[in-house]
Amino acid sequence: MKVCNEGFDKDFMAEKSDMYAIAFTQNVLSGRWKYFILWFLKDETRRYSDIKKFLGDLSQGSLTKQLKELEKEGVIKRDVYPEVPPRVEYSLTNKGMKLLPILKKMEDFGKEYGDNT
């Protein structure tokens, strides 16, 4: 696959648009915790501390990195409220909501085949 540091090779994008679409989606979701973050945000807006608690042993740095990447992709929205201490909340954008059927399909697949090892 022709992926360079600046993104996808233009020839690859034009010649293999189906593969590019899959690779693009994979890039948006790449990261160990992103699937879980999106799933946790699917029903409601959550505070940073709630996400951290949900994910357990994940370091603050790793969580912040994953959240920033999701925000940069336009999948989640970050709202900061000028309170003391500051309150930070995350929610899915419309783009993020469109990823939920993918997560549901992954859930269905895992339920059907996950115990068949």
Side-chain angles (χ1 to χ4, degrees):
M1 185 167 310
K2 298 179 181 180
V3 179
C4 63
N5 290 339
E6 293 80 38
F8 292 96
D9 178 91
K10 290 186 191 276
D11 291 334
F12 171 76
M13 291 167 56
E15 295 168 13
K16 306 280 189 201
S17 63
D18 54 344
M19 288 180 63
Y20 164 71
I22 293 168
F24 175 83
T25 305
Q26 180 183 3
N27 269 2
V28 170
L29 294 172
S30 69
R32 185 173 182 184
W33 303 100
K34 289 181 182 175
Y35 300 99
F36 301 113
I37 293 168
L38 294 173
W39 181 88
F40 192 59
L41 294 175
K42 70 181 170 61
D43 294 321
E44 62 185 276
T45 298
R46 305 282 188 154
R47 294 181 74 162
Y48 178 91
S49 58
D50 295 329
I51 299 169
K52 175 82 174 87
K53 189 183 304 181
F54 170 71
L55 295 174
D57 292 335
L58 178 62
S59 72
Q60 181 173 339
S62 292
L63 176 56
T64 299
K65 180 179 185 281
Q66 300 281 287
L67 290 168
K68 282 183 179 181
E69 289 173 3
L70 288 167
E71 184 180 11
K72 181 181 175 191
E73 289 292 343
V75 174
I76 64 170
K77 184 176 107 175
R78 178 179 184 260
D79 290 310
V80 180
Y81 297 91
E83 301 172 355
V84 178
R87 178 171 46 116
V88 180
E89 295 182 341
Y90 293 88
S91 58
L92 293 180
T93 62
N94 287 336
K95 186 177 179 180
M97 297 290 274
K98 294 206 177 224
L99 290 168
L100 294 179
I102 295 170
L103 296 180
K104 177 64 175 140
K105 290 287 185 187
M106 292 172 70
E107 175 189 348
D108 294 345
F109 183 87
K111 284 181 177 177
E112 185 170 347
Y113 298 106
D115 292 331
N116 297 334
T117 55

